[in-house]
Amino acid sequence: EYQWKGPFYFIQGADPQFGLMKAWTHGDTDNGDDEWEEEIKLAEQAVQAVNKLNPKPKFFVLCGDLVHGMPGTRWKKNQEQDLKNVLQHTDQDIPLVFVSGNHDVGNTPSKETIDDYCQNWGDDYFSFWVGGVFFLVLNSQLYFDSSKCPELRQAQDAWLDEQLAVAANQKCKHIIVFQHIPLFLSQPDEDDDYFNLQKSVRQEIMEKFHKAGIRAVFSGHYHRNAGGSYKDLEMVVSSAIGCQLGQDTHGLRVVIVTEEKVVHKYYSLTDLGSHGIEKELLDMLA
């Protein structure tokens, strides 16, 4: 799909994170994730909302932390199976795109944890085209801490440079990136934090993305809505389908891609499920 075919839209979700709600409430984020009924209901609500949309989105991307259990922990496999059981009800015509988060591959990933993720959910980084727009999915954990697998970080870096060269040759309309950890939450020069990438790494990536003409980076991880801009690169941080750490509602982001721009709006699961996408946005697809 190298050719532009007209405006379209996709749905971005993040952090279904089966198990976090109980763990967070009980103040035990290491071992308190032994129940996730609440998250199952929210994920079902998200799938139902997406399935009802008309016209259908081009795809549904989940930006990491699919479940709360870290690699090797007691409940991880059960959480993953329950999430798959929910997601298999997604309309067959709406492809699912998975992005790896820190809970999926570990805060300090290794070749083993990444292999396990890939067997379960697909590649940890890859690219795809939709109607003349080039999408890149990155494993942001390799930028956060690749101390156990430096060669995998180098491989992703080399691959990314190749992909950006391809995009330049193909004259794509836009390049859009998905990753779990935001480059930054509101300001490109903000201090290092658990929820953003370290400044030294961040600066290099932002400049690379800017030079390549990347239009937007969509991420999760923060469990709140946030974002800002670096030059003409927009950083979009979406709140969670699952546990909220701020004042936002459980929700999904609708992203409209036109020839000139990328426009997006965050909807609560309830609003999206009952009212769908507002006319103003739908008109952009006409």
Side-chain angles (χ1 to χ4, degrees):
E1 293 209 352
Y2 293 143
Q3 303 304 315
W4 176 252
K5 300 194 176 82
F8 63 87
Y9 81 101
F10 62 86
I11 300 293
Q12 183 220 4
D15 302 272
Q17 205 157 342
F18 282 22
L20 175 59
M21 289 172 91
K22 183 184 176 200
W24 187 257
T25 315
H26 287 236
D28 180 4
T29 50
D30 290 335
N31 304 300
D33 60 332
D34 59 344
E35 286 176 23
W36 49 92
E37 279 307 309
E38 199 61 36
E39 285 98 336
I40 288 176
K41 287 183 193 139
L42 290 162
E44 286 172 344
Q45 198 182 346
V47 167
Q48 285 157 9
V50 169
N51 285 348
K52 275 171 140 172
L53 294 171
N54 186 21
K56 291 186 204 306
K58 284 285 186 182
F59 59 88
F60 177 19
V61 58
L62 284 170
C63 281
D65 282 1
L66 305 173
V67 301
H68 183 67
M70 287 280 186
T73 55
R74 184 172 176 191
W75 305 106
K76 187 176 183 70
K77 290 288 172 223
N78 300 56
Q79 291 166 353
E80 288 182 329
Q81 190 53 56
D82 282 352
L83 179 59
K84 287 179 182 179
N85 293 345
V86 173
L87 292 175
Q88 69 182 13
H89 296 290
T90 310
D91 187 308
Q92 294 299 303
D93 296 329
I94 304 172
L96 287 162
V97 177
F98 296 108
V99 181
S100 64
N102 56 307
H103 283 263
D104 305 310
V105 296
N107 284 324
T108 306
S110 64
K111 185 178 184 306
E112 292 69 32
T113 65
I114 290 175
D115 283 350
D116 184 66
Y117 170 85
C118 292
Q119 281 166 9
N120 259 301
W121 301 104
D123 292 340
D124 60 322
Y125 58 89
F126 56 97
S127 64
F128 61 98
W129 288 84
V130 174
V133 177
F134 193 45
F135 292 93
L136 292 160
V137 170
L138 297 177
N139 180 347
S140 56
Q141 220 51 41
L142 293 173
Y143 294 130
F144 193 79
D145 182 359
S146 61
S147 55
K148 283 189 186 167
C149 53
E151 72 290 350
L152 297 184
R153 158 85 192 262
Q154 288 159 358
Q156 176 171 263
D157 285 345
W159 171 87
L160 178 58
D161 290 340
E162 283 167 16
Q163 296 297 307
L164 294 174
V166 166
N169 287 337
Q170 287 288 354
K171 305 273 188 284
C172 51
K173 281 291 175 204
H174 306 292
I175 310 172
I176 293 173
V177 171
F178 299 119
Q179 60 187 54
H180 179 61
I181 302 179
L183 296 167
F184 56 89
L185 298 173
S186 58
Q187 303 295 329
D189 59 351
E190 69 198 18
D191 291 339
D192 295 353
D193 186 298
Y194 172 77
F195 289 111
N196 61 21
L197 288 179
Q198 291 108 328
K199 266 185 174 174
S200 51
V201 182
R202 182 196 316 164
Q203 187 56 44
E204 192 185 322
I205 298 172
M206 289 189 308
E207 198 45 38
K208 178 183 281 194
F209 284 5
H210 163 67
K211 284 198 173 121
I214 290 171
R215 178 57 66 100
V217 177
F218 288 88
S219 70
H221 189 50
Y222 191 44
H223 294 254
R224 284 156 281 208
N225 287 310
S229 290
Y230 172 77
K231 300 181 181 175
D232 46 9
L233 169 72
E234 188 182 7
M235 181 68 242
V236 184
V237 185
S238 291
S239 198
I241 293 171
C243 188
Q244 300 300 313
L245 301 184
Q247 302 307 307
D248 295 298
T249 51
H250 307 283
L252 293 168
R253 193 173 291 277
V254 173
V255 187
I256 311 270
V257 184
T258 73
E259 200 159 1
E260 291 78 36
K261 55 193 176 179
V262 177
V263 180
H264 51 86
K265 181 174 177 183
Y266 186 84
Y267 285 86
S268 75
L269 295 180
T270 311
D271 278 357
L272 193 63
S274 50
H275 306 301
I277 301 169
E278 66 208 64
K279 185 175 183 302
E280 195 183 341
L281 290 183
L282 287 175
D283 285 349
M284 297 176 81
L285 296 171

